Amino acid sequence: MESTLAFGSPEFFVALLQIIWINLLLSGDNSIVIALACRNLPDRQRKQGVFWGVMAAVVLRIIFTVFAMTLLQIPFLKTIGGLLLLWIGVQLMLPQDETHEIEGKDRLFDAVRTIVFADLAMSIDNVLGVAAAAKGDTLLIIIGLCLSVPLVVWGSNVVLRLISRFPWIVVAGAALLGHVAGGMIQSDPATTSFWATLFGEEEHALGWFGLALVVIIGKVLAARIERANKAAQEERQEAGSGTETALGRSSD
């Protein structure tokens, strides 16, 4: 697929930053998986396992992203992909499950294989987001993934600390996904005439709508989950206090 954005143009670098940002936000768990898969290797092989696992993951992710970008030219697939990307954006704003059940390997090949399979299984959202942000530009995908995937692995602790200190980074990333998703839906070849009739020459109308939708729904659901978790914690504390009181009375 030919490049659609002039290399070095402002649009090219904006799209490149979008790809890196999306990949950083959606790949936090991947670095943990790599560490878990290589934890039983000797020190020297551990470094080799991380290096070859990352290289294989980059190559395969480029292939799958280019393939996904090609599939998105099929009518209505952009609409389906955009709706899925909206859901991914909302999920990004919700509390995450931090449990990882990855068996540590004691052989280099087994560790690399585990990294590759786990990365592919966990990177569907990354592939879709990057394919949407690339706007049909293969060169953007190659540069963006070659920069961001190693950055995720070796700079994951810094990224996680920044996200913990500045929560707005996640909100902004979710908003970016919503904007990209809306743009993907609006550019679906099966529905472009409909959106052109509705919005005229405004190319980013659905993008701004998707941005607002993701942030609003994400905020509402996150607040609801936080209230539910807080209520459940209070119930457990009350139940624990009741148990201690009953035990105290029985001992008397």
Side-chain angles (χ1 to χ4, degrees), residues 31-182:
S31 59
I32 300 174
V33 166
I34 291 174
L36 292 176
C38 296
R39 68 184 185 273
N40 290 339
L41 293 175
D43 289 342
R44 182 172 175 275
Q45 285 195 339
R46 188 178 303 146
K47 293 178 182 178
Q48 292 179 346
V50 170
F51 176 81
W52 290 113
V54 170
M55 292 302 103
V58 169
V59 172
L60 288 177
R61 202 179 293 189
I62 289 173
I63 293 172
F64 277 98
T65 305
V66 172
F67 180 66
M69 193 167 58
T70 304
L71 287 181
L72 288 176
Q73 302 307 311
I74 300 175
F76 296 108
L77 277 188
K78 276 193 173 182
T79 298
I80 296 172
L83 292 174
L84 180 58
L85 206 54
L86 287 173
W87 177 79
I88 292 170
V90 171
Q91 291 294 310
L92 186 62
M93 296 183 62
L94 303 183
Q96 303 296 312
D97 181 10
E98 300 295 335
T99 58
H100 302 275
E101 296 182 0
I102 301 294
E103 180 184 356
K105 302 297 182 179
D106 53 11
R107 292 199 309 169
L108 179 60
F109 176 79
D110 291 337
V112 172
R113 184 179 58 185
T114 299
I115 291 170
V116 170
F117 287 147
D119 184 81
L120 289 177
M122 297 170 62
S123 297
I124 296 175
D125 51 355
N126 305 60
V127 166
L128 184 59
V130 170
K135 298 179 177 65
D137 197 313
T138 305
L139 180 61
L140 263 176
I141 291 176
I142 295 173
I143 296 176
L145 291 180
C146 285
L147 287 175
S148 57
V149 174
L151 185 61
V152 165
V153 176
W154 288 296
S156 59
N157 290 332
V158 176
V159 173
L160 291 175
R161 281 199 296 268
L162 285 175
I163 290 175
S164 177
R165 184 173 180 182
F166 305 107
W168 60 265
I169 294 177
V170 175
V171 177
L176 173 60
L177 285 176
H179 190 274
V180 170

Side-chain angles (χ1 to χ4, degrees), residues 3-27:
S3 177
T4 59
L5 298 176
F7 180 78
S9 66
E11 293 81 6
F12 183 92
F13 285 111
V14 168
L16 179 61
L17 289 175
Q18 287 180 346
I19 289 174
I20 294 175
W21 194 349
I22 288 172
N23 213 34
L24 285 176
L25 286 176
L26 296 179
S27 297

